[in-house]
Amino acid sequence: MSWFSEVQQGPPIEVFQLTKQFGEDDFPQKVNLGVGAYRTEEGKPWVLPVVRTAEKALANDDSLNKEYFPVLGMDLFASSATKMLLGEDSPALAENRAFGVQTLSGTGSLRVAAEFLARQVGSTVFYQSKPTWENHRLVFLNAGFKEGREYRYWDANKRGLDIEGFLEDLRNAPEGAVIILHAVAHNPTGCDPTQEQWQQIAKVIKEKKLFPLFDSAYQGFASGDLDKDAWAIRYFVSQGFELVCTQSFAKNFGLYNERIGNLAVVTNNTACIPAVKSQLTLIIRGMYSNPPSHGARIVSYVLNNKELYEQWRDHIRVMSSRIIEMRKRLREELEKLNTPGDWSHITQQIGMFSYTGLNQEQSMHMVKQHHVYMLKSGRISMCGITPNNVGYVAKSICETLTTLPSKY
Ligand code: LMR
C-alpha cells in the first residue's frame, strides 16, 4: 500500500521539457529557440558584467551577513525597483501612494498579487490574453481565483493585434474582474498595443470598473529604453488608476535563477497602505516566510550606483539591439529563400519572442526533423538565433512550410 498510489501523472512543462530534450540531443546543428533566456552571438548564456562587479563587491563586504530578511524583503531594493518602473518624477511616488515588495521573480510576484486580490479584494474572475504566457492561468487558479477567462488578442490572419475583439471582451467583463496586461513585449506574440490602443484599453477598463494588473518582465529589454518600455504603466498611473505591477529581473538583469522580482502597488488611498502591507506580510509568511537576499542585493547595488547603473543601461541596449538585428536577419534569410508567406511580422514584433505563424504540426516538424526546438504554439525565442545559425533556422522553416504547406 502507498499513500501516493492514486497520484495521477501531470503534464510536463513544455518550455523546460524542451530545454532537457535539447541538452540530450547530439545533433551538431541543434538550436534551442524554446526557453526565453538571452544568449550571446556565440549562443552562450550571459552573466552581465555589472552583475559580476556587484557580486564581487558583495562577497568582499564583511558587514553583510546571512540573517533573515524582513518578510517583505529589502526596502532599498523594492523602492529602487518601484522607482525604475514608475519613473523618477512619478506623481504616485511623490505622493507616497506607491510602494514595492520583494518577491520571488515575476512568477512569485504574480502569485502574491493574485492571492492578495482573491483574499483581500474579493476578486474571483481574471482575464488573460489569448494567447498568453502558459503559467498565468495556473498561478491565478492556485492563488484562489475561481474563474479564468480570455480576452481576444492575437489575430492569426493579420498576424497582429485584434484590438476590436480585445475591447469588446473587456466591455463584457464583470465589474471588478482582474485584467492581466503584458506591460511590454507580449509573451508569446511579441505584439504590443500602440499608445493610442493603450489609451482605448485604459478607457474601457475605467468605464467598466475593471482592475489592471501589469506583468512587466521585459522593462528595458524590449526596446533598450527603460522609460519607453514602461510607457503603458505610467500612462495608467497618470490616469489615476489603482493597479499592481509584477516586475521580474530575470531577463533585464539576466538573473533567471536568482528569483528576484518586485510587486509594485499603486493606490489612491495612502491611509490603507499599512493594512495592505500587513496582509501581504501574512500571505508571504504563510507561503515562504521571507525572501532570499542575493538577487535583491545585486539589483539594489546596481540601481543605486550611478556608474554601474549607466553600464547596466548599456548592457540592456546590447541585448535588445542583438535581438532586433536577428529579427532583420531572419526575415532577410526567409525572404531570400522565397519561404511561403509574408514575414514582415518578424521585424514588427518586439522583445524576446516571435510568434512565427507556424502551426502545431509544423512546429513539431521543426523539432523532430531539424532539431530546432520551439514551442508547439509556433513561438520562438529570438535570443536563441545567432549569426551562425540564422541561415539554418531559415532553411528549416522554409523546408517545413514546403513539406507541410496545406495547413499553413
Ligand atoms: C518563457 O516564457 O520561456 C520564460 O518566461 C520561462 C518560463 O518560465 O516560462
Side-chain angles (χ1 to χ4, degrees):
M1 178 269 186
S2 161
W3 292 104
F4 307 127
S5 48
E6 296 304 310
V7 177
Q8 301 289 309
Q9 179 70 40
I13 311 296
E14 187 187 11
V15 73
F16 297 130
Q17 190 192 32
L18 279 178
T19 302
K20 184 163 180 286
Q21 285 168 353
F22 174 79
E24 289 162 2
D25 185 347
D26 50 19
F27 185 73
Q29 277 173 294
K30 66 179 180 176
V31 184
N32 189 0
L33 306 183
V35 69
Y38 185 75
R39 300 285 175 260
T40 61
E41 283 214 330
E42 292 76 38
K44 298 270 182 306
W46 193 36
V47 179
L48 303 189
V50 287
V51 167
R52 291 282 194 221
T53 306
E55 284 182 322
K56 282 177 192 150
L58 294 172
N60 286 324
D61 184 346
D62 289 332
S63 73
L64 295 178
N65 57 42
K66 303 291 182 189
E67 290 294 295
Y68 289 119
F69 257 17
V71 174
L72 298 187
M74 182 179 178
D75 266 344
L76 182 61
F77 159 77
S79 59
S80 312
T82 308
K83 201 196 299 169
M84 176 188 124
L85 179 76
L86 300 179
E88 298 269 342
D89 51 359
S90 166
L93 285 175
E95 293 155 16
N96 291 319
R97 307 189 278 111
F99 65 92
V101 167
Q102 183 188 335
T103 54
L104 305 184
S105 203
T107 309
S109 186
L110 283 162
R111 180 64 167 77
V112 171
E115 189 165 329
F116 173 76
L117 292 169
R119 278 181 192 268
Q120 298 298 328
V121 183
S123 313
T124 54
V125 180
F126 71 91
Y127 276 68
Q128 61 182 28
S129 59
K130 184 177 181 198
T132 191
W133 181 47
E134 49 82 39
N135 208 15
H136 277 144
R137 191 179 166 75
L138 184 63
V139 170
F140 271 69
L141 293 178
N142 281 356
F145 273 75
K146 299 272 173 280
E147 194 186 340
R149 297 188 194 166
E150 290 180 317
Y151 56 82
R152 275 167 283 171
Y153 193 85
W154 175 252
D155 180 335
N157 288 329
K158 72 172 194 206
R159 304 235 171 109
L161 183 66
D162 176 5
I163 185 67
E164 288 314 320
F166 187 166
L167 295 174
E168 193 183 326
D169 290 341
L170 290 184
R171 279 192 209 101
N172 291 326
E175 188 176 316
V178 173
I179 313 297
I180 305 173
L181 300 160
H182 296 229
V184 71
H186 184 267
N187 178 4
T189 66
C191 167
D192 285 343
T194 61
Q195 292 190 357
E196 291 67 35
Q197 288 168 337
W198 274 121
Q199 288 168 359
Q200 292 173 291
I201 295 162
K203 195 158 167 277
V204 179
I205 291 185
K206 188 170 267 176
E207 273 166 18
K208 303 303 290 184
K209 298 196 174 63
L210 309 173
F211 185 85
L213 179 149
F214 281 92
D215 184 351
S216 178
Y218 302 96
Q219 192 187 349
F221 190 94
S223 70
D225 180 333
L226 289 166
D227 299 320
K228 205 166 158 188
D229 290 351
W231 188 89
I233 295 163
R234 294 181 192 176
Y235 174 74
F236 271 64
V237 173
S238 77
Q239 297 303 297
F241 280 92
E242 293 198 302
L243 56 84
V244 297
C245 177
T246 60
Q247 286 173 272
S248 163
F249 290 90
K251 325 279 181 181
N252 54 11
F253 262 86
L255 290 171
Y256 305 92
N257 66 16
E258 295 297 350
R259 311 314 291 149
I260 179 63
N262 184 53
L263 170 58
V265 179
V266 179
T267 169
N268 286 335
N269 182 0
T270 47
C272 68
I273 291 179
V276 171
K277 283 191 174 175
S278 73
Q279 294 300 338
L280 290 169
T281 302
L282 290 175
I283 289 171
I284 293 173
R285 172 68 173 154
M287 208 184 309
Y288 52 83
S289 195
N290 45 63
S293 66
H294 195 62
R297 283 179 176 154
I298 294 170
V299 173
S300 173
Y301 192 84
V302 172
L303 294 185
N304 290 291
N305 176 314
K306 217 166 169 302
E307 209 177 298
L308 290 183
Y309 190 59
E310 283 314 312
Q311 274 181 39
W312 174 60
R313 287 160 69 117
D314 281 343
H315 298 341
I316 52 184
R317 280 190 286 270
V318 166
M319 295 191 282
S320 57
S321 344
R322 199 186 88 67
I323 293 172
I324 291 165
E325 179 58 26
M326 285 304 109
R327 287 186 180 279
K328 281 201 211 118
R329 289 285 309 280
L330 179 62
R331 179 175 169 188
E332 274 165 23
E333 296 285 332
L334 287 165
E335 288 173 349
K336 224 164 49 192
L337 294 165
N338 288 320
T339 311
D342 173 3
W343 296 98
S344 51
H345 59 286
I346 301 283
T347 48
Q348 278 153 14
Q349 294 165 345
I350 180 167
M352 199 165 237
F353 302 112
S354 178
Y355 223 39
T356 54
L358 268 64
N359 63 31
Q360 182 162 328
E361 191 190 6
Q362 293 158 342
S363 304
M364 287 166 74
H365 181 84
M366 288 284 287
V367 177
K368 287 208 185 92
Q369 191 66 31
H370 298 290
H371 307 257
V372 176
Y373 289 76
M374 60 186 286
L375 300 194
K376 287 196 203 94
S377 64
R379 185 192 89 168
I380 56 174
S381 166
M382 291 307 302
C383 303
I385 300 191
T386 67
N388 287 333
N389 67 25
V390 64
Y392 177 72
V393 171
K395 263 196 228 136
S396 305
I397 294 177
C398 185
E399 185 281 333
T400 300
L401 295 180
T402 314
T403 310
L404 299 168
S406 53
K407 308 225 173 63
Y408 176 63

